[in-house]
Amino acid sequence: MSQLTPLIAGNWKLNGTKSLLSEFAHVFNSINISNVDVLICPPSVYIDTLVQLNENTDSILKVGAQTVSEQISGAFTGEISVSMLKELQTEFVIVGHSERRAIFGETPELVAKKYQTTLMNQLTPILCTGETENDRNNNLTFDIVSRDIDAVINLTGIESFKDGIIAYEPVWAIGTGKSATPQQAQEVHHFIRNHLAKHNDEIAQGVRILYGGSVNEKNAAELFKQDDINGALVGGASLVSDKFMSICQHAQSSL
Ligand code: 13P
């Protein structure tokens, strides 16, 4: 872990309840995890619940969304706009999660538009990228992450990474219990930082790069020892408060 403030983000996906959010707000109320940003991205219908819980407690949880429309407003049934998220005091938006890409057909160009729309509304995008097992076996890992990052750079310029975050999430590690090894993750994180540095070294050194894919309370400490890992994007373990707390504590201990 470098000098950047670690971010531990929970992506609840299509899971969770209002009462689970209450439990989290209670567990993360006034706790002493300093110098670590802790974020929960619940399903969007629960965002306001989390905001209300934060207002009524001293919960340290930051609030994020799992996706957003690239459109500003209009006839787009079922979509949610950045300005709506902003009105609810959402701070972060995950864009281009591999499930959005694979199941909902989001292309690198569409994800780049979502990244741009998020930033233009002063919210912080978390750009996800990562290869499938097949890609890795064919030595395409670096091509995939370059493709996803370059789509953003081509649309919005390298400056857009001054206020954005990247999450490296190898698809083969998501929900499988088979995390990338700390060395495998570090190799890709280092590549990503170098890739950005070709455009602007200062921006590259300042970008938080999260690792995601079967992060849990047992493997987090070793992952956080890596120079270019600045936190985690956690799925399954972010639904269990003591596991998620333990991951946050490991991030704090790594500083
Ligand atoms: P798991 O932690 O369940 O593998 O999910 C990772 C993920 O997809 C977070 O966005």
Side-chain angles (χ1 to χ4, degrees):
M1 194 91 77
S2 66
Q3 299 305 315
L4 305 174
T5 303
L7 171 64
I8 307 301
N11 174 9
W12 280 15
K13 309 190 180 184
L14 190 53
N15 300 295
T17 57
K18 282 190 182 186
S19 66
L20 187 64
L21 271 179
S22 295
E23 180 192 320
F24 269 69
H26 180 72
V27 170
F28 283 86
N29 187 19
S30 302
I31 50 136
N32 190 15
I33 296 192
S34 48
N35 304 321
V36 176
D37 290 336
V38 183
L39 167 68
I40 293 288
C41 303
S44 53
V45 289
Y46 294 143
I47 286 176
D48 200 38
T49 304
L50 179 54
V51 171
Q52 301 298 326
L53 285 163
N54 280 344
E55 277 173 8
N56 295 331
T57 63
D58 287 324
S59 148
I60 62 161
L61 297 173
K62 293 180 180 293
V63 182
Q66 298 173 16
T67 184
V68 71
S69 176
E70 72 285 2
Q71 304 291 341
I72 302 303
S73 65
F76 302 100
T77 301
E79 290 288 76
I80 292 169
S81 74
V82 185
S83 62
M84 293 168 190
L85 293 177
K86 193 170 176 178
E87 195 179 1
L88 294 185
Q89 300 169 38
T90 310
E91 277 185 80
F92 295 83
V93 183
I94 298 171
V95 297
H97 189 281
S98 63
E99 287 148 19
R100 301 292 318 172
R101 294 180 193 262
I103 305 169
F104 300 97
E106 294 189 4
T107 61
E109 292 70 32
L110 179 74
V111 172
K113 276 195 85 176
K114 292 184 179 217
Y115 186 99
Q116 181 184 43
T117 308
T118 301
L119 257 189
M120 277 168 47
N121 286 272
Q122 293 83 45
L123 273 68
T124 303
I126 302 175
L127 174 71
C128 297
T129 182
E131 81 287 3
T132 63
E133 186 157 36
N134 199 31
D135 294 330
R136 178 162 278 262
N137 291 339
N138 287 295
N139 290 322
L140 292 173
T141 301
F142 295 156
D143 292 348
I144 299 292
V145 298
S146 306
R147 176 201 67 190
D148 293 342
I149 291 167
D150 290 349
V152 172
I153 295 176
N154 291 340
L155 185 68
T156 61
I158 186 69
E159 287 72 28
S160 67
F161 282 103
K162 222 187 263 174
D163 300 308
I165 293 170
I166 295 173
Y168 169 57
E169 296 207 308
V171 178
W172 48 270
I174 294 178
T176 58
K178 189 174 121 192
S179 169
T181 64
Q183 294 70 29
Q184 282 174 322
Q186 167 59 21
E187 183 187 28
V188 181
H189 283 229
H190 189 64
F191 171 84
I192 291 171
R193 210 177 292 288
N194 275 349
H195 189 73
L196 296 172
K198 284 187 220 147
H199 298 267
N200 184 315
D201 188 49
E202 198 183 331
I203 289 175
Q205 302 312 321
V207 177
R208 289 188 281 186
I209 308 175
L210 315 181
Y211 168 75
S214 297
V215 175
N216 59 39
E217 69 289 4
K218 299 194 183 83
N219 59 23
E222 285 302 311
L223 287 161
F224 296 156
K225 281 185 190 157
Q226 306 302 310
D227 282 350
D228 290 296
I229 297 184
N230 309 112
L233 182 53
V234 186
S238 75
L239 290 160
V240 185
S241 57
D242 57 347
K243 290 187 182 179
F244 193 58
M245 172 68 82
S246 167
I247 293 168
C248 296
Q249 284 165 339
H250 284 306
Q252 167 148 292
S253 311
S254 72
L255 293 171

